[in-house]
Amino acid sequence: MSNPDELLVGISAMVESGQSNQMSLTVVVGGAVITGRLAPEAVWRERVSEVLGDSDHLGSFSGLFVTDRPQDRAGPGEAPTHLHFHLARILQGNIGIPETGGMYRVAIKDVSAWTVGDFSYSDH
């Protein structure tokens, strides 16, 4: 979307202000369907930093995610520009990748469609 959906921006702002990680959302971005739960950016960054910090090969990237904290750069009343998913999957056919869920950052302006809730598949 060239102009971000105001309702989606509002949902993201509520997640940010409430420090909640219970809002489930499914979005379409560049033809890919991503489904999962939203997290506040600071929580998302901290978790990504922890995962990278535990890696022998990627540990040096860990600090990048905690040095530029959102509260240090966002002005008062500034609208969020990204959605931060955790426990998220990219849906491909009848499976979600990765099965256990991942951490995705999606620019709100790139979302072409969305719905509240997340999708899961079963083999019934």
Side-chain angles (χ1 to χ4, degrees), residues 82-101:
H82 289 79
L83 301 170
H84 295 87
F85 285 91
H86 71 117
L87 302 174
R89 296 170 319 282
I90 296 174
L91 301 181
Q92 178 68 36
N94 63 351
I95 61 169
I97 305 166
E99 285 184 23
T100 57

Side-chain angles (χ1 to χ4, degrees), residues 37-52:
R37 288 195 318 204
L38 295 178
E41 183 177 355
V43 172
W44 182 88
R45 284 174 170 265
E46 185 176 313
R47 180 65 184 130
V48 171
S49 177
E50 289 171 2
V51 170
L52 291 173

Side-chain angles (χ1 to χ4, degrees), residues 58-120:
L58 301 173
S60 60
F61 290 95
S62 176
L64 293 173
F65 287 85
V66 291
T67 55
D68 182 28
R69 310 230 4 144
Q71 60 267 28
D72 296 337
R73 62 180 156 72
E78 196 171 313
T81 58
H82 289 79
L83 301 170
H84 295 87
F85 285 91
H86 71 117
L87 302 174
R89 296 170 319 282
I90 296 174
L91 301 181
Q92 178 68 36
N94 63 351
I95 61 169
I97 305 166
E99 285 184 23
T100 57
M103 308 290 284
Y104 296 100
R105 176 177 161 111
V106 174
I108 293 173
K109 68 179 179 64
D110 294 337
V111 174
S112 59
W114 62 274
T115 188
V116 172
D118 64 353
F119 290 104
S120 60

